[in-house]
Amino acid sequence: MLGLYQDITEQKLEKIVLQQSEYHLRQAQQIAHIGSWSFDLAGKLLWSDEMYQIYGVAPDTFALNVDNFIKLIHADDRPAMQEWIAACASGLKPGALEFRIWRQGTIRYLSGQGELMLDADGKPDYMAGTAQDITENKRTEESLFTLSFAMEQSPNSIVITDLDGRIEYVNSTFSRVTGYSPDDVLGKNPRIQQSGKTSRETYVDMWSQLTRGEPWQGELVNCRKDGSEYTEAVQISPVRQVSGRVSNYLAVKQDISEKKKAEERMERLAHFDQLTGLPNRSMLNARFKFALSLAQRSGEQLALMFIDLDRFKNINDTLGHAIGDQLLMEVARRLKATLRDEDTVSRLGGDEFIIVLPGIDANGAAHVATKLLEAVSLSWQVEQHELIATPSIGIAIYPDDGRDFETLSKHADAAMYRVKQEGRNDFRFFTPEMQASSVRSMQLANALRYALSRNELFLHYQPQLAIQDGRIVGAEALLRWRHPELGMISPAEFIPIAEDGGQIIQIGEWVLRTAVRQLKDWMDSGLPPMVMAVNLSAVQFHQANMIERVNGILDEVGLPHEYLELELTEAVAMNNPMAAIAVMDRLHESGIRMSIDDFGTGYSSLSYLKKFKVSKLKIDQSFVRDITDDPEDKAIVTAIINMASSLGIRTIAEGVETSGQLAFLRLQGCDEVQGYYFSKPLLAEQFEAFARNN
Ligand code: C2E
Ligand code: MG
Ligand code: MG
């Protein structure tokens, strides 16, 4: 037997070492999720164990070759893979290729590396490479991407600082809102935005929350780069790492300046009158309650005033709402300037103001009312208009005139109404007897709205006669109102109410049309021609298209213009003589006559009278009444007649009740007369009969 021994320790050891290093390699591949492959020139493809893991196939069932391998690749990425393999094979080092595979129905992202290996002679030997599953990284990367996009595009400003408050990140909204670019602020402290308007407590509160590791939210008034201020709603949260350690602060901020402004506007709307900036009804109520509780406790009195501007509606109607608004603002300013800080003045809408004066008695209230009358009545210039807004003031005193807001304001209103009735531009204290009349006024104002449509209005006609021969030369149309419950209501009572409420326009037009039609009918039926005199209210006179409307009615009815005579009051003409002259000129041009009613009661100046294109002066009945006894009235009437005749203007005396009056007037050369002595105002058919017998 021959034996041969060989010491294979070396080989054994080498093999063990080899096995061990293979084991380590495998483990390393497994841990790193990196697989390796080789591909020799004969076309044989070899995979490491980890490769099978990565591709999700089993070594004993998967027939590993290039074709099968390619089939594992996502179809879209196959061309890139083939190009990449070709590049590797040609000796280029194309670098990593990212590609997708389908693994058990889900897409995985892989990164491949590969290279051509050369043999000792430098000839191509085989290709080798690795593949790594990078799906997780890819996903993290993608979500980071999405996150940073979201941050960038967030409609909110986002600021990230380190724990010392140094800015590490700002998004583009921050830059847009503040005007600071990232370069302006990175590394800086957000303090650069402080405006000084945020309270110290806010910052103290914020830092105590944050240093405790808790989020804070609140509002900061900050500055933009250009120095302008804005308010932002801010939410700051500590950012914790996985370890729980706070590493950053994240601030999410929203510019709420607009919202704030809107809120303030709402607040103003809720509590203040938009036009004048005065407290509105709800704020007035609150202030009154407060004043009342003080008065109750201290036993002091308090005053409530109602203020209404006289004939404000005229200004609005004739000069337009813009001027009216300016007037109201000016009045509001003057009222406020005259009052003490503790007083409240509020606008109730329209031209009505209400004032609460705490701690004041009747004497004090009278004193304040006098000052208010003076302050408000001062004239002022709006554009080319010289305006005067005289106020009427009604006063009620707590506790005598009422113990609550409702009663006091009702009584102040009644007192104000009395001022209006007694000639305006004054003040009155409430007295119990006022209550009844104010109730009636309100009742009338309300009923008047329906008077026309319910046919409660009709006309009387009063004859006007030539003094020489007693011939009928005209008729004055006088409005009548028969209310179903209240009975006959005098135009002297309801016309001012219709003027205040604006119904006069409609009613006046109805009067005009009815009267003109009536005259046309009479003339058509053979009555001698005469003039129809129609009273025109100041409100109508100032109506913008008044002349067109009057002409329209005449043309519609078919009455020649010279048969209409409009009676204007002296006040209408003298209030703004230049404007009145312009209107009168135009009326005159269209052939319509005019007379001045109630002449002598106003303040006509002779120089203007010359320019008024009126054909008649109507001497007021208050002078006529006493001409037989009162030397002064005699003198006045004589003077009027002489002056008129020297100006070429005719005269008519109204309210002639006696033959004595008639005799005097005839002697003085008055042209016409009208009054009970001849006839009371008559219904149309009565008038017709009167005229036929005349
Ligand atoms: P006025 O235009 O000065 O009308 C004359 C008033 O004196 C009428 O009162 C008439 O009835 C009354 N009267 C006539 N003759 C005599 C008399 O001999 N003795 C006395 N004591 N009174 C006499 P009325 O109808 O109550 O009208 C009062 C005022 O109402 C009118 O005064 C006029 O300013 C106004 N008015 C009447 N109708 C209208 C109208 O249609 N439109 C406008 N805007 N105002 C009207
Ligand atoms: Mg009249
Ligand atoms: Mg009159």
Side-chain angles (χ1 to χ4, degrees):
M1 281 174 68
L2 179 67
L4 201 71
Y5 291 87
Q6 192 180 358
D7 182 349
I8 57 161
T9 311
E10 284 296 299
Q11 279 138 301
K12 256 303 193 217
L13 281 175
E14 253 172 49
K15 196 172 171 194
I16 288 172
V17 168
L18 200 65
Q19 274 178 344
Q20 260 181 350
S21 79
E22 234 172 58
Y23 173 73
H24 285 306
L25 187 62
R26 224 180 8 250
Q27 257 196 337
Q29 290 201 354
Q30 214 179 323
I31 290 165
H33 298 291
I34 295 178
S36 62
W37 53 270
S38 68
F39 185 54
D40 64 19
L41 295 181
K44 190 166 167 49
L45 181 59
L46 281 177
W47 273 4
S48 69
D49 290 350
E50 186 58 24
M51 277 299 264
Y52 286 97
Q53 291 288 332
I54 288 172
Y55 279 92
V57 291
D60 37 354
T61 56
F62 183 69
L64 182 60
N65 57 45
V66 174
D67 287 344
N68 285 344
F69 159 69
I70 289 290
K71 279 184 203 150
L72 295 175
I73 312 279
H74 190 291
D76 292 350
D77 292 349
R78 280 176 204 163
M81 173 58 83
Q82 268 150 344
E83 253 174 57
W84 183 80
I85 293 173
C88 289
S90 65
L92 297 171
K93 293 180 179 165
L97 172 73
E98 271 185 21
F99 60 100
R100 288 162 295 173
I101 60 164
W102 281 103
R103 190 174 85 191
Q104 280 132 19
T106 60
I107 286 181
R108 307 290 299 180
Y109 288 85
L110 303 191
S111 169
Q113 297 272 7
E115 231 171 84
L116 182 66
M117 300 296 171
L118 305 176
D119 63 12
D121 303 331
K123 295 221 186 79
D125 192 359
Y126 63 98
M127 282 199 297
T130 58
Q132 186 179 9
D133 190 325
I134 55 164
T135 309
E136 297 318 316
N137 298 352
K138 198 78 191 166
R139 297 241 160 98
T140 317
E141 195 180 290
E142 258 173 21
S143 66
L144 264 175
F145 232 73
T146 321
L147 202 66
S148 75
F149 266 127
M151 296 262 268
E152 243 347 85
Q153 291 169 28
S154 160
N156 295 325
S157 293
I158 296 175
V159 177
I160 298 176
T161 71
D162 64 16
L163 293 186
D164 294 326
R166 272 186 297 266
I167 297 176
E168 291 183 350
Y169 169 85
V170 293
N171 70 348
S172 58
T173 303
F174 173 87
S175 298
R176 204 179 61 234
V177 169
T178 63
Y180 284 114
S181 71
D183 284 346
D184 290 334
V185 294
L186 290 182
K188 304 230 168 86
N189 191 293
R191 257 195 302 265
I192 55 169
Q193 277 205 275
Q194 285 185 5
S195 64
K197 294 263 171 79
T198 309
S199 70
R200 240 184 64 80
E201 295 84 78
T202 307
Y203 290 117
V204 170
D205 177 46
M206 175 171 102
W207 281 110
S208 79
Q209 287 283 107
L210 291 179
T211 46
R212 253 185 282 141
E214 280 164 27
W216 175 86
Q217 65 181 40
E219 282 179 13
L220 301 177
V221 182
N222 278 340
C223 280
R224 300 191 182 87
K225 191 178 180 181
D226 63 11
S228 58
E229 283 172 10
Y230 68 109
T231 309
E232 47 186 6
V234 183
Q235 228 175 338
I236 308 181
S237 327
V239 181
R240 286 178 198 282
Q241 299 302 314
V242 191
S243 65
R245 188 181 65 86
V246 173
S247 64
N248 293 87
Y249 295 119
L250 167 75
V252 179
K253 320 196 288 176
Q254 195 185 3
D255 182 351
I256 53 166
S257 310
E258 285 307 313
K259 200 174 131 224
K260 269 250 142 38
K261 265 190 228 150
E263 276 171 12
E264 277 162 22
R265 257 200 310 275
M266 293 301 291
E267 164 81 11
R268 287 197 63 78
L269 277 184
H271 296 296
F272 293 92
D273 168 39
Q274 253 181 307
L275 178 67
T276 59
L278 294 177
N280 69 3
R281 186 88 203 210
S282 84
M283 185 137 167
L284 173 75
N285 281 339
R287 295 258 189 105
F288 178 83
K289 262 199 200 124
F290 181 69
L292 185 67
S293 70
L294 283 186
Q296 283 164 342
R297 227 172 307 138
S298 64
E300 280 183 346
Q301 294 178 300
L302 82 83
L304 197 93
M305 287 185 183
F306 250 65
I307 300 188
D308 190 284
L309 299 181
D310 299 332
R311 306 201 194 282
F312 174 73
K313 218 179 163 318
N314 286 2
I315 293 181
N316 241 355
D317 287 347
T318 56
L319 303 178
H321 287 270
I323 302 277
D325 284 355
Q326 287 196 50
L327 177 88
L328 290 174
M329 289 191 279
E330 176 65 16
V331 167
R333 211 185 53 71
R334 290 185 187 182
L335 291 176
K336 236 164 65 182
T338 313
L339 297 169
R340 305 167 300 178
D341 283 346
E342 60 264 42
D343 302 333
T344 302
V345 51
S346 157
R347 187 169 77 112
L348 292 187
D351 57 335
E352 283 192 353
F353 296 85
I354 190 165
I355 295 179
V356 178
L357 304 159
I360 207 168
D361 59 10
N363 273 335
H367 180 71
V368 173
T370 310
K371 280 206 308 191
L372 290 174
L373 281 175
E374 272 170 24
V376 175
S377 312
L378 285 178
S379 77
W380 57 290
Q381 195 82 22
V382 180
E383 289 164 22
Q384 74 275 31
H385 311 288
E386 170 104 354
L387 296 183
I388 296 186
T390 58
S392 294
I393 305 179
I395 309 170
I397 303 280
Y398 166 88
D400 294 353
D401 302 331
R403 295 177 164 271
D404 56 55
F405 187 78
E406 285 312 306
T407 314
L408 284 168
S409 57
K410 212 169 70 200
H411 289 168
D413 193 21
M416 184 199 75
Y417 219 96
R418 176 55 58 91
V419 179
K420 295 250 170 206
Q421 286 175 328
E422 292 179 356
R424 306 160 203 252
N425 191 16
D426 204 350
F427 69 87
R428 286 276 179 288
F429 284 94
F430 171 77
T431 59
E433 113 348 274
M434 282 177 187
Q435 221 165 340
S437 73
S438 90
V439 166
R440 177 171 164 92
S441 300
M442 272 157 60
Q443 199 176 11
L444 290 187
N446 188 47
L448 200 53
R449 309 212 316 261
Y450 309 104
L452 198 53
S453 60
R454 293 182 183 166
N455 290 322
E456 293 166 12
L457 300 180
F458 60 99
L459 294 185
H460 270 166
Y461 301 92
Q462 189 174 32
Q464 300 178 329
L465 303 100
I467 208 164
Q468 292 310 328
D469 51 11
R471 211 167 24 93
I472 292 191
V473 291
E476 179 177 6
L478 292 161
L479 184 56
R480 297 291 174 258
W481 180 18
R482 183 183 288 113
H483 185 273
E485 279 110 44
L486 304 170
M488 290 301 293
I489 299 153
S490 160
E493 184 178 12
F494 74 79
I495 295 247
I497 298 175
E499 286 176 334
D500 275 341
Q503 297 101 335
I504 192 67
I505 297 282
Q506 228 197 335
I507 292 177
E509 201 165 311
W510 177 85
V511 171
L512 189 66
R513 181 175 284 111
T514 311
V516 159
R517 223 176 244 158
Q518 184 62 69
L519 179 60
K520 171 87 167 117
D521 285 354
W522 282 335
M523 281 165 58
D524 286 351
S525 71
L527 280 198
M530 65 178 97
V531 166
M532 179 59 76
V534 176
N535 294 284
L536 199 73
S537 146
V539 176
Q540 288 175 281
F541 185 76
H542 290 122
Q543 201 190 355
N545 58 351
M546 181 268 294
I547 299 176
E548 288 73 22
R549 299 184 88 106
V550 174
N551 282 331
I553 288 170
L554 286 170
D555 296 344
E556 166 198 318
V557 172
L559 186 74
H561 292 198
E562 69 265 28
Y563 292 117
L564 174 64
E565 182 174 281
L566 295 176
E567 292 194 2
L568 316 171
T569 60
E570 225 179 336
V572 165
M574 292 312 300
N575 208 357
N576 183 350
M578 297 315 287
I581 288 170
V583 177
M584 289 187 195
D585 282 349
R586 291 186 51 215
L587 279 170
H588 183 75
E589 269 164 39
S590 58
I592 294 165
R593 296 171 193 234
M594 287 155 282
S595 64
I596 294 196
D597 203 353
D598 306 342
F599 190 81
T601 57
Y603 310 91
S604 289
S605 99
L606 203 56
S607 61
Y608 282 124
L609 205 53
K610 275 196 276 193
K611 299 200 177 100
F612 293 160
K613 297 253 168 41
V614 296
S615 50
K616 239 190 248 177
L617 297 184
K618 293 193 78 174
I619 302 167
D620 190 65
Q621 47 181 285
S622 59
F623 303 111
V624 175
R625 192 174 303 132
D626 296 328
I627 34 178
T628 42
D629 336 298
D630 187 333
E632 203 174 327
D633 285 350
K634 265 187 192 158
I636 290 172
V637 170
T638 309
I640 292 174
I641 295 170
N642 290 339
M643 179 196 65
S645 89
S646 73
L647 289 173
I649 302 175
R650 298 170 63 78
T651 44
I652 177 168
E654 35 177 7
V656 179
E657 294 182 349
T658 66
S659 58
Q661 291 164 341
L662 175 64
F664 179 82
L665 291 163
R666 182 176 281 139
L667 193 68
Q668 296 307 320
C670 183
D671 299 300
E672 294 169 16
V673 279
Q674 172 184 350
Y676 295 170
Y677 182 67
F678 310 98
S679 167
K680 291 207 162 182
L682 303 168
L683 285 170
E685 48 274 29
Q686 296 171 326
F687 183 95
E688 195 177 336
F690 180 89
R692 291 201 191 282
N693 295 333
N694 183 248

